Amino acid sequence: MDTFYYIIDSIDGDYANLRRTDIISDELKLVARALLPAEINVETKLKYELFQYSIVEA
């Protein structure tokens, strides 16, 4: 299973825009906040693995 790393670029209501950090990309991924950890804020680093997002501690 693949693992992807993201940072939260912006939050707009019930959705968050995520930017990949493990590859060079300008594309944003729109994700429902219900799928993300409750403690997220802009600039929170996330790991996506096994169909689940988790916060990456710096």
Side-chain angles (χ1 to χ4, degrees):
M1 202 63 165
D2 292 332
T3 301
F4 303 101
Y5 291 91
Y6 295 94
I7 191 165
I8 296 182
D9 190 67
S10 63
I11 297 174
D12 185 19
D14 291 335
Y15 295 91
N17 287 299
L18 279 54
R19 181 181 312 122
R20 290 268 309 259
T21 59
D22 55 332
I23 63 168
I24 297 173
S25 176
D26 289 335
E27 292 183 34
L28 296 177
K29 180 177 182 178
L30 186 64
V31 177
R33 289 185 65 187
L35 300 174
L36 302 171
E39 310 81 34
I40 64 162
N41 288 308
V42 174
E43 300 294 321
T44 299
K45 296 176 183 176
L46 300 171
K47 176 172 74 170
Y48 179 74
E49 185 174 49
L50 298 173
F51 304 105
Q52 193 169 33
Y53 292 93
S54 58
I55 295 176
V56 175
E57 300 298 327

